[in-house]
Amino acid sequence: MRIIVAGGDGFCGWPTALHLSARGHEVLIVDSLVRREWDRELGTDSLTDIAPIEDRVARWKEVSGREIGVAIGDLNDEEFVYRTLDGFRPEALVHYAEQRSAPYSMIDRSHAVFTQVNNVVGTLNLLFAIRELVPECHLIKLGTMGEYGTPNIDIEEGYITIEYKGRTDTLPYPKQPGSFYHLSKVHDSHNIMFACRTWGLRATDLNQGVVYNVETPETASDPVLTNRYDYDGVFGTALNRFIAQAASGNRITVYGRGGQTRGFIDIRDTVRCIELAALHPAEPGEMRVFNQFTEQWSVLQLGRLVERVARELGLKPELVHLENPRVEKESHYYNAANTRLRDLGLKPHLLTEETVERLLLIALENRDRIHPETFDPRVNWRRSRYR
């Protein structure tokens, strides 16, 4: 298939592009490279040294014998979007190209506005270009489990059947997003659903959980193909932050009591889920939703896991609790469905001590690149300013 990977220079996009290319698909990466600029803005960097995109794709050709195309541009640029889709004529389009950090979106007014304009307008440009140029193209859009929030009922996969006053209907599952970033994803979902219903487009909305691990077989095959490893308090996940803290001799900092529970998925399963969605496309007019995670963990459980594995490696981290900078429930019911991707053939990797040990060893190898000053929460949901 001809597949565009928008956001293909990023944490999920780069291994996805390699995975699809390795399986014989013709891949075009579309990226503005702005993610690298945000590192400079925040005074942080990937824990692993990541090569420029030109070097990455050149080395992939040397290693695999396969070419990956690159188009540098912004999805908010309408002319660029139309020109790119018209030239490549994709059969599937994987859309990662959004500002993905909840803390970044909560820094202040300008970051909230940027996040929503960047994410929503870019997706709208894609929808119009697909309709006019490649209406059979299957849009595979990365959503987030954060759209649902933490309701006190089971979370279904995108839709819920309800009975009210003697009548029954199947409706989009109620959304309770927890940041301006998560709100942008809700707006995307509504716009995509409308476009499918009105124009007959086909789309899969992948409500992904928190992604852990940094390596796939392709990214681990050569140092130049290394994936990025975010650990800071703005773009890093809790697990990655805990690992970098343990590796650098700092405290493992759990926000609040740590009872917050979320869905998690290994990056190796993320790329496989994308391929499964591409190989089994939605029908014309259908926007289907898959909950893309494989297991559930609380923040405190993750902290204890990292603490235990780090001690086995001879490290002596101390786990402490900080005041939670986010506005979220400290403990809550959380039970989300995640069967549809398994039904398509996903055989998940689960988070083990061996996975955590490998991530710790990577962090120890790159310890001189860790900036401990970026660990502490510098974005507060109640004050919306960056310290």
Side-chain angles (χ1 to χ4, degrees):
M1 300 173 67
R2 293 187 307 281
I3 304 178
I4 284 179
V5 180
D9 187 49
F11 167 65
C12 289
W14 174 242
T16 296
L18 296 187
H19 179 84
L20 294 173
S21 176
R23 279 145 186 79
H25 302 289
E26 183 182 350
V27 176
L28 173 67
I29 286 175
V30 174
D31 205 298
S32 67
L33 307 183
V34 69
R35 176 64 188 89
R36 297 173 186 246
E37 294 298 324
W38 295 333
D39 279 341
R40 286 184 274 274
E41 174 194 351
L42 299 172
T44 187
D45 201 355
S46 167
L47 180 57
T48 51
D49 187 16
I50 54 174
I53 187 63
E54 298 83 4
D55 295 347
R56 284 176 146 187
V57 296
R59 181 58 58 87
W60 175 246
K61 184 178 180 181
E62 293 173 2
V63 169
S64 69
R66 299 182 182 277
E67 285 196 42
I68 292 178
V70 177
I72 304 299
D74 193 330
L75 296 188
N76 280 250
D77 181 346
E78 176 189 354
E79 291 186 6
F80 168 76
V81 171
Y82 275 70
R83 183 172 65 252
T84 303
L85 265 65
D86 193 28
F88 190 71
R89 296 280 164 167
E91 298 165 88
L93 193 154
V94 181
H95 182 15
Y96 289 120
E98 296 195 327
Q99 193 294 99
R100 65 165 179 83
S101 166
Y104 191 87
S105 76
M106 298 297 294
I107 290 175
D108 54 23
R109 184 205 63 83
S110 64
H111 287 81
V113 171
F114 168 78
T115 297
Q116 298 220 349
V117 170
N118 179 79
N119 294 0
V120 176
V121 172
T123 299
L124 281 171
N125 282 341
L126 284 177
L127 289 171
F128 275 88
I130 290 171
R131 184 197 68 170
E132 295 177 28
L133 298 172
V134 282
E136 292 300 312
C137 177
H138 178 207
L139 175 63
I140 303 169
K141 168 67 166 58
L142 191 72
T144 169
M145 290 296 294
E147 290 187 33
Y148 299 121
T150 54
N152 199 38
I153 60 173
D154 289 3
I155 297 173
E156 304 300 332
E157 296 202 64
Y159 300 91
I160 185 170
T161 299
I162 63 171
E163 182 177 338
Y164 182 67
K165 292 186 177 181
R167 303 188 69 84
T168 302
D169 202 352
T170 298
L171 303 170
Y173 193 96
K175 306 295 178 69
Q176 302 180 68
S179 72
F180 288 117
Y181 154 72
H182 292 103
L183 278 159
S184 75
K185 293 288 194 175
V186 173
H187 302 329
D188 285 337
S189 295
H190 288 159
N191 286 338
I192 295 168
M193 185 181 302
F194 177 80
C196 290
R197 184 176 70 242
T198 306
W199 300 334
L201 302 187
R202 60 179 81 209
T204 300
D205 200 6
L206 298 172
N207 284 338
Q208 183 164 255
V210 181
V211 185
Y212 64 88
N213 208 348
V214 297
E215 292 181 326
T216 64
E218 291 81 20
T219 66
S221 65
D222 187 279
V224 178
L225 304 178
T226 297
N227 198 18
R228 68 178 302 124
Y229 187 153
D230 296 311
Y231 65 89
D232 63 281
V234 176
F235 277 94
T237 64
L239 178 62
N240 281 2
R241 187 178 79 251
F242 295 161
I243 287 170
Q245 288 171 328
S248 59
N250 286 272
R251 303 180 305 169
I252 294 174
T253 53
V254 171
Y255 295 168
R257 295 194 301 271
Q260 310 91 336
T261 301
R262 300 291 186 268
F264 287 80
I265 185 170
D266 190 299
I267 188 66
R268 293 170 292 180
D269 294 333
T270 290
V271 301
R272 177 61 177 148
C273 289
I274 295 294
E275 184 185 21
L276 286 170
L279 295 176
H280 303 87
E283 296 296 326
E286 177 188 16
M287 192 196 90
R288 63 186 183 182
V289 180
F290 296 162
N291 288 345
Q292 187 169 297
F293 74 97
T294 56
E295 55 190 321
Q296 298 179 172
W297 290 77
S298 74
V299 173
L300 183 58
Q301 286 174 325
L302 292 177
R304 294 295 186 200
L305 175 62
V306 173
E307 181 185 39
R308 183 168 66 253
V309 176
R311 290 185 182 278
E312 291 173 357
L313 291 177
L315 304 171
K316 299 180 180 180
E318 176 191 4
L319 189 148
V320 300
H321 295 262
L322 302 183
E323 180 182 357
N324 194 344
R326 303 186 180 211
V327 177
E328 60 185 356
K329 296 175 183 176
E330 287 286 343
S331 60
H332 52 83
Y333 180 77
Y334 197 82
N335 186 38
N338 63 337
T339 60
R340 301 190 70 184
L341 282 161
R342 293 173 188 260
D343 291 344
L344 291 180
L346 177 66
K347 295 178 173 57
H349 300 82
L350 299 180
L351 181 56
T352 64
E353 290 190 0
E354 288 73 18
T355 306
V356 173
E357 180 179 335
R358 174 59 185 156
L359 288 169
L360 270 166
L361 291 174
I362 293 173
L364 289 168
E365 291 169 7
N366 295 275
R367 187 161 37 187
D368 60 333
R369 295 178 58 85
I370 297 176
H371 300 277
E373 69 275 9
T374 67
F375 290 149
D376 290 339
R378 292 185 284 174
V379 182
N380 190 300
W381 263 234
R382 296 168 182 83
R383 292 193 292 271
S384 292
R385 63 185 177 86
Y386 189 67
R387 294 190 290 111

